[in-house]
Amino acid sequence: MNPELPLTPPVIRPRRLRTTPALRRMVAETSVEPRQLVLPLFVREGLREPQPISSMPGVVQHTRDSLLKAVTEAAEAGIGGVMLFGVPETKDAVGSGAVDPGGILNLAIFDVVAEVGDALTVMADLCLDEFTDHGHCGVLTPDGRVDNDRTLAVYADMALAQAHAGVDMVGPSGMMDGQVRVIREALDGGGHTDVSILAYSAKYASAFFGPFREAVDSSLEGDRRTYQQDPANALEGVREALLDVAEGADLVMVKPALAYLDVLRRVRDAVDVPVAAYNISGEYAMVEAAAAHGWIDRESAILETLTSIRRAGADVILTYWATEAARLLG
Ligand code: PBG
């Protein structure tokens, strides 16, 4: 060592790796790929024209025809799958439309599978809230509480109806205890061993679901705090995910995404199945509203949002921007 040299260390320059677009691209730790994106779609019974959802600019309730156009575009864009939600014309206390083979969601599954075949993973929401007149995710006890175990029996029937319609993957989103186990047993008992389960495992009672309630014409009064999780709890989110894996979930999900990125990371580190995150309606609406005001750059905000969800640990992202983002990602 030369004793004449000063001992102060040189400036460490992380900026060097940010010098050019090619270099930044080369060292990027996280990427978003079209195959990782899933597009949620709403189809409404009895509709003649697609119906805009005012709180979700750019998203519509589809007719059975316009739904097919949307899934064709999604397949052409190369995304991973679609998640279907049905909005029935009539609702009742037990959500009969959900288990009816002629119910709107089951018809839509059949149509979509016939249209796109294996080009997309066709998923369906498995929950009663769109189909019940009280808007809860399950059936009620005489005194108005959500009846966990009676709801499970309906979920089992709903899973079979969706499987008969040709669904690839069911997405139980009602947060009933034991729902994954009961659905897995029902599917296997019906010979549908290849139908997979994307469990909405850590699902929080969130204000950010607001626009979705318009999207599905929800009749809910009150809230879902006796079954969806308290936003204060992260460990409990991990516990729910581990339980769902033990019950047979093929993938687990954290939902919403943005306000729960820490939960997403913890779940990713705790399980050995793919983890999905749902970039939900309110998260979409916030970006769209700010962009419409010219307050943020829309496309950059979309890509940054999706990147942040991937960085936090999501292998799969459900997002209303799926088709558009796939095109942006080229
Ligand atoms: C329940 C369900 C909801 C969402 C997906 N599945 C609503 C809820 O739990 O109240 C919300 C999706 C979104 O806000 O984008 N069927």
Side-chain angles (χ1 to χ4, degrees):
M1 216 165 114
N2 184 344
E4 304 298 312
L5 283 179
L7 288 174
T8 47
V11 175
I12 308 293
R13 297 183 187 277
R15 283 186 57 195
R16 217 178 272 126
L17 291 180
R18 302 173 200 148
T19 316
T20 67
L23 186 44
R24 291 196 292 273
R25 195 168 64 235
M26 189 180 81
V27 300
E29 297 170 34
T30 307
S31 59
V32 182
E33 297 174 35
R35 67 180 177 89
Q36 298 159 335
L37 305 178
V38 173
L39 178 67
L41 289 162
F42 304 105
V43 55
R44 181 165 155 198
E45 188 177 14
L47 210 58
R48 286 165 181 278
E49 294 291 322
Q51 173 91 27
I53 300 163
S54 64
S55 53
M56 300 176 73
V59 179
V60 300
Q61 292 179 330
H62 282 287
T63 66
R64 281 178 71 185
D65 280 344
S66 71
L67 178 70
L68 299 186
K69 191 162 166 273
V71 295
T72 301
E73 285 171 10
E76 281 165 8
I79 69 168
V82 290
M83 173 64 80
L84 304 177
F85 293 89
V87 185
E89 223 156 24
T90 54
K91 309 186 183 204
D92 62 22
V94 294
S96 308
V99 298
D100 179 354
I104 183 64
L105 180 55
N106 297 321
L107 293 176
I109 292 166
F110 184 86
D111 291 348
V112 168
V113 171
E115 185 77 7
V116 298
D118 287 343
L120 292 171
T121 298
V122 179
M123 314 178 197
D125 190 53
L126 201 168
C127 190
L128 290 180
D129 63 316
E130 291 94 1
F131 299 92
T132 51
D133 52 13
H134 45 74
H136 275 294
C137 294
V139 295
L140 304 182
T141 60
D143 60 352
R145 286 176 297 121
V146 175
D147 187 332
N148 192 91
D149 294 10
R150 272 183 58 230
T151 299
L152 294 182
V154 186
Y155 285 178
D157 290 344
M158 192 175 180
L160 285 173
Q162 295 186 348
H164 282 139
V167 82
D168 295 314
M169 185 180 287
V170 295
S173 65
M175 290 300 283
M176 295 302 124
D177 292 336
Q179 62 186 13
V180 172
R181 188 176 111 188
V182 164
I183 289 167
R184 185 71 269 157
E185 280 172 2
L187 289 171
D188 290 353
H192 302 287
T193 49
D194 282 346
V195 172
S196 46
I197 301 178
L198 165 58
Y200 287 60
S201 301
K203 180 172 179 185
Y204 289 87
S206 173
F208 295 101
F209 294 146
F212 178 93
R213 307 264 161 98
E214 179 193 347
V216 299
D217 297 338
S218 172
S219 25
L220 182 71
E221 283 171 22
D223 60 55
R224 306 197 194 286
R225 289 179 192 277
T226 66
Y227 43 108
Q228 296 181 348
Q229 287 180 250
D230 184 338
N233 296 352
L235 275 177
E236 189 191 35
V238 175
R239 181 170 187 235
E240 287 278 10
L242 291 171
L243 281 171
D244 283 352
V245 172
E247 289 182 24
D250 299 287
L251 297 86
V252 293
M253 178 144 73
V254 174
K255 175 184 181 186
L258 293 182
Y260 300 88
L261 292 179
D262 59 326
V263 179
L264 181 54
R265 167 49 56 192
R266 289 202 205 189
V267 168
R268 176 57 291 170
D269 290 344
V271 301
D272 55 6
V273 297
V275 176
Y278 199 142
N279 177 214
I280 62 161
S281 59
E283 300 171 344
Y284 174 90
M286 288 193 293
V287 170
E288 292 292 340
H293 279 85
W295 293 340
I296 55 173
D297 180 74
R298 183 175 173 280
E299 290 183 1
S300 309
I302 292 171
L303 295 178
E304 186 175 333
T305 297
L306 299 178
T307 301
S308 74
I309 297 168
R310 285 271 303 135
R311 194 190 61 235
D315 303 294
V316 173
I317 306 175
L318 282 75
T319 171
Y320 299 97
W321 292 304
T323 301
E324 183 184 355
R327 289 186 188 133
L328 291 175
L329 293 163

